[in-house]
Amino acid sequence: MTSGLSERNRHLLVLAIGLVLLVGLPWVVDVVTLLELTIYIVYALFALSLGFIWGHGGILCFGQAAFFGLGAYTYAVAAINVGESSGPFLLAILLPAAFAALLGAMMFYGRLSDVYLGVITLVVALILFKFVNSTANETYVIGDARLGGFNGIPGFPTLNWPGDAGSPLMPDEMFYLAMGLLIAVYFGLHGLLRSRFGRIVVAIRENETRAELLGYDVRLYKTAVFAIGGGIAGLAGVLFANWGNFVSPGVFGLAQSATAIIWVIVGGLGTLIGPIVGAVLIQFLTTLLGQQSVVNNAFVLGAILVLVVLLLPKGLMPTLGQLLSRGRRK
Amino acid sequence: MTLDRRTFLAGSAAASIAATIAGRAMAQGATIDVASIHDLSGIFDAYGKPMEKAMQLAIDEINAAGGLAGKQVKEISYDTQSQIPLYTQFGQQAALKDKVAVVMGGILSASREAIRPTLKRFNTLYFYNTQYEGGVCDRNIFCTGVAPSQSVEALIPYAMSRWGKKVYILAADYNYGQIISKWVQHYVKLNGGQTLQVDFFPLDVSDFGATIAKIQAAKPDFVVSALVGGAHMSFYRQWAAAGMKAKIPMASTTLGVGNEQIVLTKEEGDGILLAYNWSAEIDTPANKKFLAAWGKKFGADSVKEIHELAVATYQGMMLWAAAVKKAGTPDRMKVIEALETGMSIEGPGGKITVDPKTHHCTLDVVVIEVKDQKLTVVKQIPQVPPLDTQAVCDLKANPNSNIQYEIKI
Amino acid sequence: MSARGEVVLETRALTMRFGGVVAVDRVDFTLRDGELRCLIGPNGAGKSTFFKCLTGQLKPSAGEVLVRERRMTGAEPCQMAQAGIGVKTQTPSVFNGLSVRENMFLALARHHAGRIAEARTDEALERYALADLRDRKVGELAHGQRQRVEIAMVVAAEPWLVLLDEPAAGMTHEEVDALAALIRDINRRSTMIIVEHDMQFIRMIGDRVTVFHQGAVLIEDHVDTVLDDARVREVYLGS
Amino acid sequence: MDFAVVVIVEILYAVASLALIAAGLAVVFGMMRVINLAHGEFLMLGGYTAIVSVKAGINIYVAMLVVAPIVVGAIGLIVERLVIRFLYGRMLDTMLATWGLSLLLTGLVTMIFGNTTTGISTPIAGYRVGAYQLSGYNLFIIAAGFLVMAGILLALRYTRAGLIARGAMQSSDMASGLGHNPQRIYMITFTVGAALSGLAGGILAPLTGLTPTTGGLYVAKAFITVISGGAAVVAGTLSSATLFGTITQVVTLSSTPVWGDVAMLIAAVILLRLLPQGITGRFFSRQV
């Protein structure tokens, strides 16, 4: 990594910006904007989950929404049954992580890679979508919660202060929580990547054969990375569910997985800040485009994706980093 | 939800939340704002576009007559693009940002159930102007469309008397289809018939080849379709293409609601039986006036776009306007109380009266046969009450009720 | 210098088929402790396939691989490595995007806990004369330098058996001389198998040589005997 | 007995429509190792071309069988020249770029035609098998599916162009040695693949309604069929289409279309886990 700032300073800068946004934003914007920003953060977290497994683990997952959706649905179902939100919150992270571990083990121990991995992840997300989408019948219940099929699940208890089911989080508190979690996950992943585990994961991305010949069980490491990514996607799903107080099968949809890939590729592979920047930028653009009807949204996003692949194959943030450091040297 | 907590939180966001929750601060702007939330694109746009036009027409007429409570009415329109999660999002915006007096909207029952909790939570009055499966019991919502005890109750005995007793049901796989198919089974049984099979289809299914073979194997006397949306349209095409029209007749609880009869050819649509509140052929002064006004505003060509849901939307808007006039204010509780006096208006579909106990409506029902791409009235039943919801819901006794009852069979 | 110790690696009727093609055909092979064995043969003789069956990169269709009398048939490459076998592949297989130091760290980190691995990394860089390249990305180095990095990574883990696939390929004369010295040095501590093409090089390091032809072992003997053998000449030069 | 015939026809129809949906992608993937995720949109464009042509008064068969492939082939040519050719050998980048393209085309069509369902009626009347009525159009699709597959097979095996194309895919050096420009061969192959997609889209259009997002429904099925089939263009596509078409239809007939789809997807996962190179990667290597 080359950049004008030293690595340490760069992370301090990210932390500072993060904290300023965390504390400052609720003071300067109105509630609707704050709600809008909360969803950006949720998406950033989702992007980060894919950015980690793809950019650092070398696993391109075409069905990351499977874990996002699983997190959202697990939370909704568990919250209806439990009421108090702490248990459901944890369960909705652990279950997608466990599911990712299982799926990952199946794929990596079967030595699937590249396109085949892409197809399987895509298909698994599709299966989940089709299944959940066809659970409108009243026989599909888990405890007190009806899965609801196409309707989705509305009106489940939203997150509350831990231990106190009677005090749900207000929109501004939701913002603090989401932003705080994003910062925590970012630095958590950062620390992980500096650890022995993380360095081996990166080594596997660089050269799987060599890592194996050095005695690292690539299958195990990849499965672990995939599970971590699944857990983070699940966390993003929980926040998403709480944001709208509504989940529907669309959370498993192809579009959800696809947008995440666009965020990551636009923001830049191999960095942690890239996916976050990509998600926020693209979502901001989507919102802007949503307010006019001359140019179609998908048209612009598609054009951006094509142009980024052709002209900025490394994505925004790494390219920016290179430009900065080149500027410095001159 | 206890949302009146923590008002000490500083910051503008927190303050505005507090303001919203403390109750809708009235008399802010120079206009009374009304939100229209419909699918204006995507696979449900055939339903939504005319509903939006009906809103515009109703608001024009209200404003031309001097507005409400001394103010003009302004429409804020949202396109939910046939995506259910957008209902939640736009519902939030309408309630928190636009602070509208009422939300008119929702088409699919799934969209209603997505937006209903949001609007209830943020104390924003909600009108759902669509024929639906009935049973919603919530004081914050008024349902102005026909319900099963009005439409299915009329349709099934009429179809059975013409065709026979064995029925095969196809329904869209979400709450509407699931519940309406039970009502169909209920009325089939009540009239001494037999339901052979019920099949559900997700809204994106567009290949019905195997299903058509299955139906033939079951040999029903007729088919009841509760299919919904653009993709399901191909069922009628494939049915006709297989030459089934001559073999097994069909009734539907949904066809025509999106004016499908003019998209389908004569050969594909003719002979299908329906039952709704409205048909263009209803011969009343109110309907003629409505058709003329629509033609004048949107062009003569546009008159054929009018459908059941557009009429229900127009009637819903007019009901709300009448209530605001009566209450003298757009304040939510006052309007609800006014409506609960059992208000009625004369609409294109006949007289429509609010039932105070259920917030549903008593209205006229017409049984229709599709002929030459037109909805021909074959039978009229005046002033049918919403018996299905009345059987389970009493908002006078339980004003805090907030559920949708489902029929058990 | 003939075989001296106990048998440490053995294959029994090892066979590898791809579709209808038999690349390795019922090979029985024995390696003793301390040996420096060369595998030679013309292109397509099956020596590289045989090599990959030993490293775990290919799963043999039939037969057995025994490492110190333990059955390791079809084991994963990582299990082979964990059993103390170091492997250098034909083309340099290194972590191109990472620095020389990081490469070395990764070679050591499997055997040592983080802190110790860090310390050992710097020692190893000194020992293998890579210290001045430590912060360079391996992908930016010259071919010969990358070969050196890879061999250093393999050896740093102190394997008891080292498998090298065509280590001299693409090297200059001077580099080949240095390599031969390095291999003799490694052989003082580890048993070795070297797949090689270059006769010159085999003469320099040679001891016992196994010649592959059409998937089977043609002859196995001391390098001088083998290179004078008529059949070997025929296989190499064609008739 | 009659019902058995109906079931067989329905299965053949499912197999043929899968083969049609996958054909264009199979050619491009099998010959060029390019995964075109805008494939679904090529089908969708074929459908729109056919519908627009019919509404403009062109004969429906001309619209489906001639106009749709020509128009979409031309679009494919443009796409190849502007985007794909810069990305040969970069499989992942190609996938991402074509994904972008798919969004772009969806958006473009939405701007032109609106996000709404359009459709035309099928041109063939139903027919009778014993006590059952069947859609005549299904027979047409079965015929079209098998003709397209046979056409690809014959073209690759027995025509000079097919021979050169196969040669170029095996080794582009060899082709250029023989005086053929591999860039040009890639260009033509991609165009032909696009034209096949256009043809399929045109043929399928009368059956189901079309929206600008219809491509999304196709691309997953095509992608799964082609990848599961493996490298051999015709043998692979036909074998996986047969497998998946049969599973889908049998399950659909005994339950609902959803379970039919789910069964197919589960079959695909199991298949790829067991045969990571696809069906033909294992059994028919080195065929077309």
Side-chain angles (χ1 to χ4, degrees), chain A residues 137-138 146 151 168 173, chain B residues 5-6 88 175 178 182 406:
Chain A
N137 196 279
E138 65 201 359
R146 266 179 75 165
N151 298 39
E173 291 163 338
Chain B
R5 181 176 62 88
R6 306 170 83 79
T88 320
N175 50 359
Q178 290 280 347
K182 284 187 196 159
E406 286 181 37

Side-chain angles (χ1 to χ4, degrees), chain A:
Chain A
M1 289 265 44
T2 47
S3 164
L5 296 165
S6 82
E7 176 159 330
R8 189 191 179 83
N9 287 342
R10 215 155 8 103
H11 289 294
L12 282 176
L13 182 68
V14 171
L15 183 64
I17 294 176
L19 289 177
V20 166
L21 291 177
L22 173 69
V23 177
L25 274 177
W27 292 80
V28 289
V29 300
D30 64 89
V31 63
V32 177
T33 317
L34 201 66
L35 276 169
E36 185 85 31
L37 290 172
T38 309
I39 197 65
Y40 286 11
I41 297 165
V42 172
Y43 287 149
L45 202 54
F46 183 39
L48 197 53
S49 80
L50 183 69
F52 174 64
I53 64 165
W54 183 13
H56 296 95
I59 306 164
L60 175 48
C61 175
F62 274 81
Q64 192 70 0
F67 313 117
F68 182 74
L70 213 53
Y73 264 85
T74 306
Y75 177 81
V77 168
I80 288 175
N81 281 300
V82 178
E84 205 276 328
S85 70
S86 309
F89 181 81
L90 290 178
L91 186 67
I93 298 167
L94 292 179
L95 195 80
F99 181 67
L102 215 68
L103 181 64
M106 186 202 106
M107 295 188 303
F108 301 125
Y109 282 78
R111 299 265 165 212
L112 290 176
S113 57
D114 297 346
V115 197
Y116 301 96
L117 204 136
V119 178
I120 297 242
T121 49
L122 177 127
V123 168
V124 167
L126 261 180
I127 291 176
L128 283 173
F129 171 78
K130 295 223 173 231
F131 171 71
V132 175
N133 196 36
S134 62
T135 54
N137 196 279
E138 65 201 359
T139 52
Y140 293 101
V141 280
I142 299 177
D144 298 329
R146 266 179 75 165
L147 290 181
F150 175 82
N151 298 39
I153 308 178
F156 45 83
T158 51
L159 287 169
N160 52 254
W161 284 88
D164 181 6
S167 41
L169 296 187
M170 309 279 290
D172 55 333
E173 291 163 338
M174 269 299 294
F175 169 81
Y176 289 127
L177 178 70
M179 191 70 195
L181 283 171
L182 178 64
I183 295 173
V185 169
Y186 175 89
F187 284 97
L189 286 178
H190 177 62
L192 189 70
L193 284 171
R194 291 175 55 119
S195 74
R196 178 176 174 277
F197 173 85
R199 287 159 81 175
I200 293 164
V201 167
V202 171
I204 291 172
R205 178 199 65 193
E206 284 291 319
N207 185 339
E208 203 168 318
T209 313
R210 176 38 74 200
E212 289 224 278
L213 293 173
L214 288 177
Y216 297 110
D217 193 339
V218 167
R219 303 165 300 178
L220 187 67
Y221 280 92
K222 281 190 156 183
T223 305
V225 167
F226 202 58
I228 293 171
I232 298 171
L235 172 65
V238 175
L239 295 176
F240 180 80
N242 277 284
W243 175 76
N245 194 10
F246 178 66
V247 293
S248 65
V251 288
F252 291 105
L254 268 184
Q256 198 80 32
S257 297
T259 0
I261 290 182
I262 298 176
W263 295 332
V264 174
I265 193 81
V266 168
L269 271 181
T271 64
L272 290 175
I273 196 72
I276 298 178
V277 172
V280 172
L281 269 185
I282 295 287
Q283 275 319 107
F284 179 66
L285 194 70
T286 311
T287 317
L288 272 189
L289 290 171
Q291 288 162 3
Q292 51 87 47
S293 50
V294 185
V295 192
N296 180 277
N297 209 333
F299 179 80
V300 178
L301 285 186
I304 289 177
L305 184 53
V306 174
L307 289 177
V308 166
V309 173
L310 285 177
L311 306 176
L312 290 181
K314 285 184 169 162
L316 213 55
M317 292 315 280
T319 311
L320 213 63
Q322 275 174 357
L323 285 179
L324 271 177
S325 65
R326 209 175 299 160
R328 278 274 164 118
R329 254 180 259 153
K330 275 178 192 166

Side-chain angles (χ1 to χ4, degrees), chain A residues 54 60 261 265 305 309, chain D residues 92-101:
Chain A
W54 183 13
L60 175 48
I261 290 182
I265 193 81
L305 184 53
V309 173
Chain D
L92 214 64
D93 285 343
T94 322
M95 279 172 91
L96 291 169
T98 50
W99 199 339
L101 213 60

Side-chain angles (χ1 to χ4, degrees), chain B residues 127-151:
Chain B
F127 268 65
Y128 178 61
N129 307 306
T130 307
Q131 70 101 356
Y132 88 114
E133 71 279 3
V136 169
C137 191
D138 171 355
R139 204 166 169 225
N140 192 49
I141 188 177
F142 287 85
C143 304
T144 62
V146 286
S149 66
Q150 296 160 323
S151 58

